[in-house]
Each structure stands twice: as structure tokens, then as C-alpha cells.
Amino acid sequence: MDPRTDDDVLDAVGPRLRALRRDRGITLAGLSATTGVSESTLSRLESGQRRPTLELLLPLARVYDVPLDDLVGAPRTGDPRIHLKPIRRHGMTFVPLSRRPGGVHAFKMVIPARPEPLEPAPRTHEGFEWLHVLSGRLRLVLGERDLTLPPGEAAEFDTSLPHWLGSADGGAVELLVLFGPQGLRAHVRAGPDRSSPAGPRR
């Protein structure tokens, strides 16, 4: 087992982000201009005064061109302390990115390429889901809505609403998924204020 606590992992993110920025010769002002995250937030993140969130780490991982796992110090796949086995369900592959029982679970989800896109088969279950498209074009059927999300788009929804995820054009799709208990949402605090209700972001 990994002896580190959640606090240990989070406390190590700031110094790692500072080291990456300095190694690449990037200033806080330059990083802010590239990511859209304020200098004060970046500074507090590096000093440990601000807890890292997925919304903050995703643009940083893109700028530094490193896997998200590297920012949080996740053990490599070959590390004997960790065995995250892919889960195959409904023709899709889910790679667990977290091991903590209960609370929010993180996955990388891969929808394989197919000669013909599948027909939607919406399902319901208890919980709340947040997703971010990494590559490919995702088709999200959510109740009466039928949406296509390109790379960089995100959506959050209550999974008690009939929903279905698939490829919009038959190509492979990769996305990050956070799944949590009913009523728990992924609150965004770093970006501009949004007064619109939760749902797919267009």
C-alpha cells in the first residue's frame, strides 16, 4: 500500500508545479497568460496555500506537456505498490485513477473506434458525473438532449437522468471522468462566475 495520506499527496503538488515552471523558464505572468489562471491563484497553488483541483491541473498539464499523473505524483504503472487494472464495461475501457474508498472516483475512459457509431442506449443510476473530453468527439445523450463535445469540452450531470456516452463519428474517444455520490457536484472556483445551471458546457 502507498503509505502517503491524501494530505501528503496534495502537499507535494505545489513544489512539483514550481519546479516544473522553473525548469521550463516560465514566469508566473507568462503561465497566467497561457492558462487563464490568475497569477495569485498560481502562486498560492505552488506555495500550498491553494488546494489543487482538476480544473486547475488540466491546463497546467497541457502547458507543461506532462500526464496529469505526473503533477500529482501518482506512482508509475510498474510501481509494485499500485495495481490499477482497466475495467471493461459496455464495450468501453475504464482506467481507475484513484483508489480511495467512497467519495469521488476518477477514471480515464476510452471509447474504441468502430466502423459504425453505436445507437444510444441510455441508462440511469445513482450518482453525479463530471467529464472532460481529451481527444475525439464525444456524443452525449442526456435526457432529451443530444450533444457533440469536441476535445476540451466538459459536462456535468446527475446520473439519475437517462444518459449515454459514445463516439460521435465512430472514432476513438478519450475522456476524464469524475464520479461521485448523488448530489455531489464538481464546483468550479477558478474561472469566471457562471450563473447558468449545471449541465454540458457548449
Side-chain angles (χ1 to χ4, degrees), residues 20 57 61-62 64-73 76:
L20 278 168
L57 293 180
R62 283 195 292 268
Y64 295 141
D65 193 24
V66 297
L68 195 61
D69 287 357
D70 284 3
L71 297 186
V72 296
R76 297 292 184 181

Side-chain angles (χ1 to χ4, degrees), residues 33-108:
T34 304
T35 61
V37 181
S38 70
E39 286 186 57
S40 61
T41 296
L42 292 170
S43 178
R44 291 171 57 212
L45 190 61
E46 290 186 358
S47 66
Q49 296 176 357
R50 174 70 180 263
R51 285 300 196 190
T53 65
L54 190 60
E55 290 280 352
L56 291 174
L57 293 180
L58 280 171
L60 293 173
R62 283 195 292 268
V63 169
Y64 295 141
D65 193 24
V66 297
L68 195 61
D69 287 357
D70 284 3
L71 297 186
V72 296
R76 297 292 184 181
T77 303
D79 193 316
R81 297 174 301 175
I82 188 168
H83 301 280
L84 297 181
K85 295 182 179 179
I87 302 166
R88 290 176 176 80
R89 187 177 300 161
H90 308 307
M92 297 177 287
T93 300
F94 298 81
V95 181
L97 300 178
S98 60
R99 298 171 296 160
R100 185 174 126 193
V104 176
H105 292 269
F107 298 89
K108 179 179 180 181

Side-chain angles (χ1 to χ4, degrees), residues 43 62 68-69 77 87 94 102 117 119-120 126 138-139 141 146 158 165 180-181 190:
S43 178
R62 283 195 292 268
L68 195 61
D69 287 357
T77 303
I87 302 166
F94 298 81
E119 284 299 313
E126 294 295 313
L138 176 73
R139 182 181 180 187
V141 176
D146 194 334
D158 190 320
L165 306 177

Side-chain angles (χ1 to χ4, degrees), residues 145-165:
R145 305 174 69 184
D146 194 334
L147 303 155
T148 297
L149 278 63
E153 288 287 296
E156 57 180 358
F157 53 90
D158 190 320
T159 55
S160 63
L161 186 67
H163 61 282
W164 179 86
L165 306 177

